[in-house]
Amino acid sequence: MPDLPAPHTSSFTRGDLTVHTFTAPDEFLADSTHVLETADALVVIDGQFVAPYAIAFRRFVDALNKPIRKLYLSHAHVDHWFGLSTAFPDVPVWAAEATIEELRRTGEAQRAERQAQYGPFVPDAVVMPQHVAEPGFDTVDGVDYRLDVVRDAECPAQLVLTLPGHGVTIAQDLVYSGTHVYVTRDAANTVALLRVMATSGSDVFLAGHGPVADAAEVLHNADYLTFAEQRLAHDDPAAFREALLAAYPQRRCPQLLDIFIPRLFESSTVEVNP
């Protein structure tokens, strides 16, 4: 494999919890995965996208020298589950029931299609989550988690985890931190969810792309989607792209636009992530 840019890692601690974030470089969509570390356990969120960063993320996790108690898959987009097959095939995975069903239906077809395009960057098999993450509450090594399944936002079903005692929400692809934001044809539900999330009591949001975010960034995502929805009604693809670039010149990963804009303007409304 060619030499690739280094990922970025960061950590912060709140009481008995340390949160580690591992972010791929912008060339690989600033894909972010996370590890929640307590005294005797680790909880891992998602698995990275392409093989080199998935393997590097697993090494990062293993270097913490604690058992992985749970690995949560947030949703069924390939940039979050491919790395499970590459680097975490031995770890039990929890996911929403709808996510598991989606992987059963389309996982192998998506894997094979991407492997034909990208070769060794793509796993050789699909790892199917073994456990259903039911909405409700869970406790891991003394830390309380609230599990919610968000419907019809960026994807049909997305697992959101909140740590009420620590002010942390694991939002993944509901929040794009510092990057362009993935736009769908009907963003109204996502905008409403983001505005509620920003006032939920959490002040830290773990994003699916980019660094750890705050409530202001959550609202910036809502504003981005609102702006995009307004322009979408009037622009053609090229004008729409230019409008987003002009309105948000500070946002990174413009290649995200080249992923979602063709899908926004094609006749089919079926959403398929990178």
Side-chain angles (χ1 to χ4, degrees):
M1 290 211 182
D3 291 335
L4 296 174
H8 176 75
T9 61
S10 65
S11 303
F12 69 89
T13 298
R14 287 195 167 179
D16 56 350
L17 175 74
T18 299
V19 177
H20 308 275
T21 293
F22 180 106
T23 302
D26 288 0
E27 294 90 334
F28 292 88
L29 308 180
D31 201 55
S32 287
T33 47
H34 314 279
V35 190
L36 288 78
E37 179 185 6
T38 48
D40 298 307
L42 304 174
V43 173
V44 175
I45 310 298
D46 290 348
Q48 281 292 315
F49 185 10
V50 298
Y53 295 111
I55 292 166
F57 179 51
R58 180 62 190 266
R59 289 174 179 156
F60 178 82
V61 173
D62 288 347
L64 297 173
N65 291 313
K66 293 178 182 177
I68 301 172
R69 187 75 61 83
K70 286 191 173 180
L71 194 162
Y72 286 108
L73 172 62
S74 62
H75 62 297
H77 287 161
V78 298
D79 52 329
H80 294 266
W81 68 261
F82 267 7
L84 303 184
S85 304
T86 302
F88 294 90
D90 58 322
V91 178
V93 179
W94 275 255
E97 186 171 14
T99 296
I100 299 172
E101 291 172 357
E102 178 67 18
L103 289 177
R104 287 191 181 121
R105 286 197 311 272
T106 69
E108 176 54 29
Q110 292 187 68
R111 188 207 65 78
E113 179 185 356
R114 300 319 194 282
Q115 190 170 59
Q117 292 175 296
Y118 305 121
F121 275 16
V122 173
D124 292 327
V126 177
V127 165
M128 197 64 57
Q130 304 92 336
H131 305 280
V132 175
E134 299 281 2
F137 291 87
D138 193 14
T139 301
V140 179
D141 199 26
V143 174
D144 295 328
Y145 291 75
R146 189 183 78 231
L147 282 65
D148 296 290
V149 178
V150 171
R151 302 280 183 171
D152 300 322
E154 194 227 29
C155 63
Q158 185 157 180
L159 185 65
V160 176
L161 297 97
T162 303
L163 284 62
H166 296 79
V168 174
T169 292
I170 305 166
Q172 289 307 87
D173 276 13
L174 287 178
V175 176
Y176 285 70
S177 181
T179 71
H180 284 276
V181 181
Y182 194 92
V183 179
T184 61
R185 267 284 169 186
D186 183 6
N189 186 46
T190 306
V191 170
L193 287 165
L194 289 168
R195 297 201 186 284
V196 170
M197 188 182 295
T199 60
S200 64
S202 290
D203 62 338
V204 170
F205 299 86
L206 306 188
H209 298 262
V212 174
D214 58 14
E217 179 64 351
V218 174
L219 291 175
H220 291 328
N221 274 237
D223 292 341
Y224 185 111
L225 291 172
T226 300
F227 174 83
E229 196 164 47
Q230 292 167 349
R231 294 303 304 245
L232 192 55
H234 306 288
D235 290 344
D236 61 22
F240 183 67
R241 188 181 193 279
E242 289 306 311
L244 291 177
L245 290 172
Y248 300 100
Q250 76 284 7
R251 288 199 167 264
R252 307 187 333 267
C253 298
Q255 62 269 42
L256 280 166
L257 278 63
D258 299 323
I259 294 169
F260 68 71
I261 288 176
R263 294 164 188 168
L264 284 173
F265 287 89
E266 66 187 4
S267 58
S268 170
T269 59
V270 176
E271 285 291 332
V272 183
N273 209 258

